[in-house]
Amino acid sequence: MNKKQMRKDILAIRDSISKEDILKKSEIILNKLKATDIFKNSKNIMLFTSFGSEVYTHDFIIWCKRENKNIVLPYIDKSTDTMKISVFNSFDDMKAGYKGILEVKEECIQSFDEKKVELIITPCVCYDFNKYRIGYGKGFYDRFFAKTPNAFKIGICFDECLVDSIEYDEYDVKTDMVITDKRVII
Ligand SMILES: Nc1nc2c(c(=O)[nH]1)N(C=O)[C@@H](CNc1ccc(C(=O)N[C@@H](CCC(=O)O)C(=O)O)cc1)CN2
Ligand SMILES: Nc1ncnc2c1ncn2[C@@H]1O[C@H](COP(=O)(O)OP(=O)(O)OP(=O)(O)O)[C@@H](O)[C@H]1O
């Protein structure tokens, strides 16, 4: 199946998961993430602010801050149409940005050297068992990964959104680990 059709089908499946189940499954996934050595040993961590039916990350972001992690979040720089990162301090500094996703407000953006990011927690529409990923189809993460070859990349995904295999091209970057509510793929 081509990427576009797979994206549409899996989004429909993900959108049908109840809010309650999204919260339950997200907690299971993020607890598994917390237990990994790579998470425990990383200070500079890139997360994402979930929207829609994605793995819910907001409370986890706050928890990480309390644990003294340095959290950076993506935003889309409209002038260059690229994904950049800003240090996260508080949800008071955030507002709805690209596609309505919460981003650090322009006046609060604190840039951070991409090369210093140790761990990137990656959103997805779906993953396959080889850790290839389909996102929203803009290539933002694949382009970003090209700048962070040394960061460890973990995809977080509901088990419903795992597929056997994804068509990939030369730009698609595999992640190093995928965590779902039912399994960990390494
Ligand atoms: N939470 C989150 N933040 C993120 C991403 C992401 O996947 N998740 N991104 C990863 O690249 C970047 C934003 N990229 C995006 C690219 C396209 C669409 C998009 O086309 N959205 C659809 C709605 C999808 C839906 O129904 O859920 C649309 O507007 O039609 C959204 C985000 C940066 N921040
Ligand atoms: N590093 C790159 N340089 C140039 N073009 C790229 C790069 N990465 C991806 N692209 C292009 O961007 C487009 C979207 O890529 P793809 O369908 O893989 O997006 P996606 O992984 O679903 O989305 P996203 O990464 O935004 O979540 C494709 O045409 C792809 O070839």
Side-chain angles (χ1 to χ4, degrees):
M1 197 192 297
N2 68 45
K3 265 194 184 177
K4 214 169 159 192
Q5 188 61 41
M6 198 172 261
R7 184 178 293 117
K8 200 170 156 222
D9 291 356
I10 302 293
L11 269 180
I13 291 172
R14 200 180 71 183
D15 286 342
S16 73
I17 306 174
S18 71
K19 283 267 143 25
E20 198 189 341
D21 281 349
I22 284 190
L23 293 180
K24 268 194 223 154
K25 292 172 196 280
S26 299
E27 196 179 349
I28 295 170
I29 292 169
L30 295 170
N31 280 337
K32 286 194 202 174
L33 171 63
K34 281 180 196 175
T36 62
D37 285 339
I38 179 77
F39 178 81
K40 289 181 192 162
N41 296 330
S42 299
K43 171 83 176 172
N44 301 314
I45 301 175
M46 177 171 170
L47 270 158
F48 62 90
T49 35
S50 56
F51 79 111
S53 55
E54 289 181 323
V55 173
Y56 175 73
T57 58
H58 297 210
D59 294 344
F60 181 65
I61 291 171
I62 302 283
W63 182 87
C64 289
K65 275 299 278 186
R66 282 204 212 107
E67 293 288 301
N68 280 321
K69 302 287 192 190
N70 179 42
I71 298 301
V72 298
L73 296 175
Y75 68 93
I76 304 303
D77 176 16
K78 289 196 193 80
S79 63
T80 55
D81 200 33
T82 51
M83 188 166 85
K84 297 195 171 159
I85 50 176
S86 168
V87 172
F88 167 84
N89 287 304
S90 149
F91 273 101
D92 296 338
D93 297 343
M94 309 280 287
K95 71 167 210 202
Y98 187 83
K99 301 274 182 187
I101 302 172
L102 278 183
E103 293 178 343
V104 176
K105 289 177 192 162
E106 213 172 326
E107 60 271 30
C108 301
I109 287 174
Q110 220 181 304
S111 50
F112 188 78
D113 183 357
E114 283 135 358
K115 293 191 179 53
K116 297 209 170 100
V117 176
E118 295 154 88
L119 173 61
I120 302 176
I121 309 303
T122 311
C124 70
V125 170
C126 58
Y127 268 99
D128 72 9
F129 286 90
N130 292 317
K131 297 170 280 186
Y132 279 108
R133 154 180 185 279
I134 295 181
Y136 284 107
K138 295 273 189 169
F140 287 131
Y141 269 90
D142 289 321
R143 265 177 265 250
F144 186 81
F145 288 158
K147 297 188 271 184
T148 58
N150 298 320
F152 194 87
K153 304 166 197 66
I154 300 184
I156 53 175
C157 176
F158 298 122
D159 208 65
E160 288 86 339
C161 306
L162 267 186
V163 298
D164 283 339
S165 101
I166 289 170
E167 233 181 37
Y168 60 89
D169 62 31
E170 77 260 41
Y171 294 128
D172 285 312
V173 180
K174 275 170 76 150
T175 46
D176 300 296
M177 186 189 283
V178 176
I179 300 178
T180 84
D181 42 301
K182 298 234 167 83
R183 68 195 100 200
V184 174
I185 304 169
I186 41 178

